[in-house]
């Protein structure tokens, strides 16, 4: 009899039977190689209703919060990447249970990988042959290999092996102001961090809260828009309890939020994103000043450390126009950051931060500063309301359920019922969702160790130089390449202020693992790249653009004619119009036995566990810079990466829209790149002392890219 890994009752999430509207509860059993569910707790010889074989090709897809027969449930979908039609979808009434199932199933997937790839040295090369189907040639898994650096061994069992984040990336227009705290822990370009604690000053202490005001002045917002303000307080409750209360828009909210009058659902975009209508109750001379209301996008996620993020930003919606008797305010940025603290006297504690930057509109906001200040403080006082609500209730220890919100279309409000889509801006909403799959800015579990990094002033430059020189002799042949013969449709320009162009990034802008990383977690500037970036193409089409290296006359084919090896990184951005930004990296030849050669000729599991991206945003609005961050990620874990091994090249097609567990940074970069200068570095992660120090494959800096400059490629192969 197989050993049971985890079991329990869960909601069987599926289609409703005609005429029936009840929740189907099923008993799910997870074994080392099998997931099954039964109508009741199984006895001997009982046949399950449905089963699924768990192996290294399986994924656990987080679908977030869904309304199901009058209940809000947290939905998970388990499927095999090779047979996506075969899946088991399950749901829980509370996020703790959903997270437990997710972790248990992923641990079984990881154990299967460990048994299949001994010592991470099983490599299978895929050779491209002329005339072969140009579609996808290999599949890849979105989870990280078990074989990560030794520093992960102690911590991996506590969650570093696989991300426990629940949630997709926010829509591109929604400011993730919580990234300011991540920036403080990172050592990447500390001078370029978009947001840090020094940009806030303590304004006052009120009702046991610290009220902060943003110091930065912004010139792109109207004068009536307030500076960002936030309230910080401590609540004696778990993060889950606070989160579920914050997400509710029913009568319970009256008990802790004194600025809340009414709330309803306008549109459910997905399990983590919704459009809401919110009427504010502001008691500042109500006989003179009209009430305010909001229509905004709400996005949420759960981070690896157990904290929760809830983000708000105003959005126009055709189903939620201006309401009679109300002034439509504009919420520039806002939300909650709910983070766990150490318990005290046996009671859980949570730090709650509530940020608001709002333009209340109307004559009062423009001419009466006291009106704006009073309303902001009233809204921020909800943190004190949360604290008092939990301190005065005995209903603890019972997992609460988030109530289903009233749909605005079915309420008494006078709204149009004809449409359902969000107002589109640069990208359509379906493109935004597919681009920004999930959760946080691509955080990499195996590199979630920035807090252990040594400050640059304490690093030894002599040691770093020696390490770089040693690695250069091992992996980089000393040959110069004539770059003048390569070209792409996106132009190269070394001018700092140039637009719609690219240039090679300085490797020292990025930190990589040092030779002694396994012992002291130290990182060093990356130094010179292993490969030269010779061209960049910017494509668009009505369908996804795959296998661009087959295009006649592209940089990869020019390199092949000259006897050079090239690596092609094709970043695919899906949507109503599909975009691809293609980077061509070239070198004289691969060094046999090097980490790069093992990556190029390895199998997909090894490649997915090692291909790493490090993003930076040296220039751009502080809203975008704090959203993007600079945390490394393993691309093969976040999204599907399709590898095509040709005779003289390796192409990596990075399909951003492939996974709901994607991190969103690349989608955000492409979506708002017109106003940004973005740097991206690609490398193969080094895990053992023999592989260290790490070296960059290459790095690129793209400046203010115009969507209109993309061209439709001719991908017909040379016959």
């Amino acid at each position: 009899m197989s050993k049971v890994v985890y079991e329990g009752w869960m909601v069987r999430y599926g289609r409703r039977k005609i005429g029936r509207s009840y929740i189907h509860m099923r008993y799910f059993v997870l074994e080392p190689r099998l997931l099954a569910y039964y109508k009741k707790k199984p006895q001997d010889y009982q046949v399950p209703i449905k089963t699924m074989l768990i192996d290294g090709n399986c994924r656990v897809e987080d679908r977030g919060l869904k309304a199901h027969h009058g209940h809000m449930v947290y939905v998970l979908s388990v499927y095999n990447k090779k047979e996506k039609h075969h899946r088991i979808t399950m749901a829980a009434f509370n996020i703790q249970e959903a997270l437990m199932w997710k972790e248990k199933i992923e641990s079984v997937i990881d154990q299967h990988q460990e048994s299949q790839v001994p010592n991470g040295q099983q490599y299978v090369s895929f050779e491209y042959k002329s005339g072969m189907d140009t579609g996808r040639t290999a599949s890849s898994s979105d989870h990280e290999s078990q074989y990560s650096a030794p520093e992960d061994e102690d911590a991996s069992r506590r969650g570093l092996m696989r991300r426990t984040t629940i949630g997709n990336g926010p829509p591109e227009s929604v400011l993730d102001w919580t990234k300011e705290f991540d920036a403080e822990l990172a050592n990447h370009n500390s001078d370029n961090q978009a947001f840090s604690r020094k940009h806030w000053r303590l304004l006052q202490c009120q009702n046991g809260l610290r009220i902060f005001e943003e110091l930065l002045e912004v010139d792109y917002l109207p004068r009536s828009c307030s500076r960002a303000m936030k309230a910080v307080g401590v609540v004696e409750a778990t993060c889950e309890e606070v989160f579920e209360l914050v997400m509710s828009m029913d009568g319970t909210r009256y008990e802790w939020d004194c600025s809340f009058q009414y709330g309803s659902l306008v549109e459910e975009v997905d399990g983590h994103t919704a459009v809401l209508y919110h009427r504010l109750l502001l008691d500042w001379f109500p006989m003179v000043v009209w009430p305010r209301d909001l229509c905004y996008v709400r996005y949420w996620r759960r981070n690896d450390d157990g904290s929760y993020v809830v983000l708000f930003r105003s959005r126009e919606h055709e189903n939620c126009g201006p309401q009679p008797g109300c002034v439509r305010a504009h919420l520039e940025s806002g939300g909650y950051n709910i983070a766990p603290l150490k318990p005290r006297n046996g009671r859980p504690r949570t730090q709650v931060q509530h940020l608001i930057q709002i333009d209340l509109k109307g004559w009062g906001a423009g001419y009466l500063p006291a009106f704006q200040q009073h309303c902001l403080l009233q809204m921020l006082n909800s943190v004190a309301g949360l604290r008092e609500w939990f301190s005065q209730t005995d209903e603890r220890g019972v997992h609460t359920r988030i109530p289903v919100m009233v749909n605005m279309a079915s309420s008494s409000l006078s709204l149009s019922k004809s449409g359902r889509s969000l107002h589109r801006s640069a990208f359509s909403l379906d493109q935004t969702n597919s681009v920004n799959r999930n959760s946080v800015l691509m955080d990499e579990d195996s590199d979630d160790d920035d807090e252990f990094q040594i400050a640059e002033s304490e690093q030894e430059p002599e040691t770093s130089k020696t390490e770089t020189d040693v690695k250069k002799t091992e992996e980089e042949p000393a040959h110069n390449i004539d770059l003048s013969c390569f070209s792409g449709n996106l132009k190269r320009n070394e001018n700092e202020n140039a637009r719609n162009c690219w240039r090679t990034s300085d490797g020292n802008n990025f930190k990589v693992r040092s030779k002694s990383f396994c012992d002291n977690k130290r990182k060093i500037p990356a130094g010179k790249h292993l490969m030269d970036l010779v061209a960049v193409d910017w494509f668009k089409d009505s369908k996804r653009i795959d296998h661009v290296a087959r295009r006649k006359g592209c940089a990869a084919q020019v390199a092949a004619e000259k006897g050079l090896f090239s690596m092609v990184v094709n970043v695919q951005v899906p949507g109503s119009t599909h975009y691809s930004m293609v980077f061509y990296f070239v070198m004289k030849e691969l060094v046999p036995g090097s980490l790069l050669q093992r990556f190029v000729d390895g199998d997909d599991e090894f490649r997915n566990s090692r291909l790493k991206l490090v993003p930076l945003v040296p220039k751009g609005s502080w809203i975008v810079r704090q959203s993007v961050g600079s945390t490394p990620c393993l691309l093969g874990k976040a999204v599907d990466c399709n590898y095509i091994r040709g005779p003289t090249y390796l192409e990596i097609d990075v399909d951003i829209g492939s996974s709901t567990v994607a991190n969103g940074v690349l989608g955000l970069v492409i979506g708002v790149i017109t106003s940004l200068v973005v740097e991206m570095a690609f490398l193969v992660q080094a895990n053992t002392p023999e592989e260290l120090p790490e070296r960059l494959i290459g790095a690129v800096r793209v400046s203010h890219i115009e969507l209109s400059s993309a061209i439709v490629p001719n991908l017909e192969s040379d016959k």
Side-chain angles (χ1 to χ4, degrees), residues 465-476 515 530 594-595 686 689-695:
K465 182 177 180 180
T466 303
E467 293 173 5
T468 304
D469 291 344
V470 170
K471 200 65 177 181
K472 178 177 179 179
T473 60
E474 293 177 355
E475 291 202 350
E476 183 181 356
K515 184 68 176 176
L530 290 173
S594 66
L595 179 58
E690 293 74 22
E691 296 170 344
L692 293 168
E694 288 179 330
R695 294 289 307 279

Side-chain angles (χ1 to χ4, degrees), residues 267 315-318 420-429:
E267 179 183 356
R315 173 71 64 86
E316 293 181 10
H317 195 285
E318 59 189 11
R420 285 188 171 274
S421 63
L422 285 173
H423 174 70
R424 270 71 169 177
S425 52
F427 269 3
S428 61
L429 182 61

Side-chain angles (χ1 to χ4, degrees), residues 69 94 119 207 247 283 302 349 365 430 473 550 560 596 689:
H69 301 327
N94 61 79
N119 300 323
N207 296 334
M247 293 289 285
D283 57 0
R302 183 188 189 276
R349 296 192 308 144
D430 65 317
T473 60
R550 62 191 162 97
L596 182 59

